[in-house]
Amino acid sequence: MKLTSKGRYAVMALADLARFNNVNPVSLRDISLRQGISLDYLEQIFSKLRKKEIVQSVRGTQGGYILNKKAKEIKLTNIFDAVDEKVKTVQCKKESKKGCNGKATKCLTHNLWDELENHIYNFFDEKSLEDLVKENSERRI
Amino acid sequence: MKLTSKGRYAVMALADLARFNNVNPVSLRDISLRQGISLDYLEQIFSKLRKKEIVQSVRGTQGGYILNKKAKEIKLTNIFDAVDEKVKTVQCKKESKKGCNGKATKCLTHNLWDELENHIYNFFDEKSLEDLVKENSERRI
DNA sequence: AAGATACTTGACTATTTTAGTCAGGTTTAT
DNA sequence: ATAAACCTGACTAAAATAGTCAAGTATCTT
Ligand code: FES
Ligand code: FES
């Protein structure tokens, strides 16, 4: 079990964006420098975030990105979904009646992974970007 | 986020073993056939489980593996630990004061991943092999 | 109008991890 | 003796990851 960089960076970048998202858009270059994330990689990530309407882009000089909703309304599940970070722990297709081993019934551990999936999903669905920013409000970067 | 096959198979195989672990040892060949897991791969996995004293081996004809403790006493955390399935969601080294970006302080999302790690750990630490077997007791394989 | 900044897109790739396979053992019940 | 089953280490194809690279387009400032 691990988390990939894409999801990790997406959350990190948005947390940064939420913090500095006062009036002006925040450029990816700034986020890249502050958070130590490759600019090119950030662009891939923000392209996805924009398509899922989590951020808006502002082109041109002094451009950048702004949040498309209030930080409180952006749950971590939304972010993960946008960048295709899967919180999938069952192996099989849930809708199918077949098991992950190709047999007719679900495997011995199917229920376990399904429970875990819910467990993790709930964790992410309760956390908003605002929560994240608040947690860090006393800190300096 | 996903789970690798190694941890998945380890739990599946042990669930199978626990079910059939009456008097005689259970051979990997049987587990392989029942659960549809490559025999060679199972051997790698059980080698680790044996080193961590989760199972005992019985060599020779009619040999196989038996649980080394009661199913109730084997938590999923033990199993995952034995096969090196990491439930590590923070990127950095926890002991270090440095962040995952190499900077002097922990990153904006460090606390988040740390919380998640605990969340998942607790889930696994509350589940025993016995729980798994019971859940499936009414089913046929 | 020119230049600079910054978003936009798509293709490409080195590295690492995963999920095994393969080959050659050793041990023990019958 | 033979067969079943454990034991070990090395090897590898395929997939995923974490980027890089290149060639744009839009908009602001001067
Ligand atoms: S995970 Fe669903 S059948 Fe195995
Ligand atoms: S995860 Fe620990 S500093 Fe980023």
Side-chain angles (χ1 to χ4, degrees):
Chain A
M1 169 95 55
K2 60 171 195 188
L3 221 48
T4 67
S5 285
K6 193 159 33 169
R8 205 186 285 283
Y9 286 163
V11 175
M12 205 184 294
L14 283 174
D16 182 290
L17 180 53
R19 275 186 106 177
F20 292 90
N21 186 37
N22 312 314
V23 191
N24 303 318
V26 179
S27 74
L28 292 189
R29 194 172 130 72
D30 286 352
I31 296 179
S32 165
L33 290 174
R34 276 197 293 262
Q35 305 303 330
I37 305 171
S38 143
L39 178 58
D40 281 321
Y41 204 24
L42 272 179
E43 276 169 355
Q44 280 183 49
I45 291 168
F46 272 76
S47 167
K48 296 188 181 209
L49 292 173
R50 190 176 59 78
K51 278 173 193 155
K52 291 294 175 76
E53 299 180 338
I54 291 176
V55 295
Q56 278 189 344
S57 67
V58 180
R59 301 187 73 149
T61 314
Q62 301 293 90
Y65 287 91
I66 53 177
L67 292 182
N68 202 23
K69 302 176 195 169
K70 292 186 175 164
K72 193 194 282 188
E73 288 159 13
I74 302 178
K75 302 295 180 191
L76 294 199
T77 42
N78 304 139
I79 302 174
F80 271 62
D81 182 52
V83 299
D84 305 313
E85 187 76 303
K86 303 279 192 296
V87 184
K88 175 174 187 288
T89 56
V90 297
Q91 184 89 320
C92 60
K93 285 177 187 161
K94 274 195 192 177
E95 320 78 47
S96 163
K97 287 191 177 168
K98 284 189 182 173
C100 55
N101 42 21
K103 301 196 177 173
T105 51
K106 295 294 184 187
C107 75
L108 284 176
T109 52
H110 177 87
N111 286 345
L112 174 72
W113 308 129
D114 199 28
E115 272 184 65
L116 175 60
E117 208 165 295
N118 288 332
H119 196 66
I120 296 174
Y121 182 86
N122 290 338
F123 178 84
F124 283 137
D125 209 44
E126 279 164 14
K127 284 267 178 191
S128 73
L129 213 47
E130 190 183 56
D131 298 332
L132 257 188
V133 174
K134 275 186 183 168
E135 262 184 42
N136 285 285
S137 59
E138 77 281 2
R139 298 175 50 205
R140 288 288 305 148
I141 301 176
Chain B
M1 170 93 56
K2 60 171 192 187
L3 220 48
T4 68
S5 286
K6 193 157 36 168
R8 205 185 284 281
Y9 287 164
V11 176
M12 204 183 294
L14 283 174
D16 181 290
L17 180 53
R19 274 184 107 179
F20 292 90
N21 186 38
N22 313 312
V23 190
N24 302 318
V26 179
S27 75
L28 293 190
R29 195 174 130 73
D30 286 353
I31 296 178
S32 165
L33 289 174
R34 276 198 293 263
Q35 305 304 329
I37 305 170
S38 143
L39 178 58
D40 281 323
Y41 203 24
L42 272 179
E43 277 171 352
Q44 280 183 49
I45 292 169
F46 272 75
S47 165
K48 295 188 181 206
L49 292 173
R50 190 175 59 78
K51 278 173 191 153
K52 290 295 174 76
E53 300 180 336
I54 291 176
V55 295
Q56 277 188 344
S57 67
V58 179
R59 302 189 73 153
T61 315
Q62 300 293 89
Y65 286 92
I66 53 178
L67 292 183
N68 202 24
K69 302 177 196 169
K70 293 188 175 162
K72 192 195 279 187
E73 287 158 12
I74 302 178
K75 303 294 182 193
L76 295 199
T77 41
N78 305 139
I79 302 175
F80 271 62
D81 183 53
V83 299
D84 305 314
E85 187 76 304
K86 303 277 193 296
V87 184
K88 176 175 187 285
T89 55
V90 298
Q91 184 89 320
C92 60
K93 287 179 186 160
K94 275 195 188 177
E95 320 78 47
S96 162
K97 286 189 176 167
K98 284 188 181 173
C100 55
N101 42 22
K103 300 195 176 173
T105 52
K106 295 293 182 185
C107 77
L108 282 176
T109 52
H110 177 87
N111 286 346
L112 174 71
W113 309 129
D114 199 28
E115 270 184 68
L116 175 61
E117 209 164 295
N118 288 331
H119 195 65
I120 297 174
Y121 182 86
N122 290 338
F123 178 84
F124 283 137
D125 209 44
E126 279 164 14
K127 283 268 181 192
S128 73
L129 212 47
E130 189 183 54
D131 298 333
L132 257 189
V133 173
K134 275 186 183 166
E135 262 185 44
N136 285 285
S137 58
E138 76 283 0
R139 298 176 51 206
R140 288 288 306 149
I141 300 176

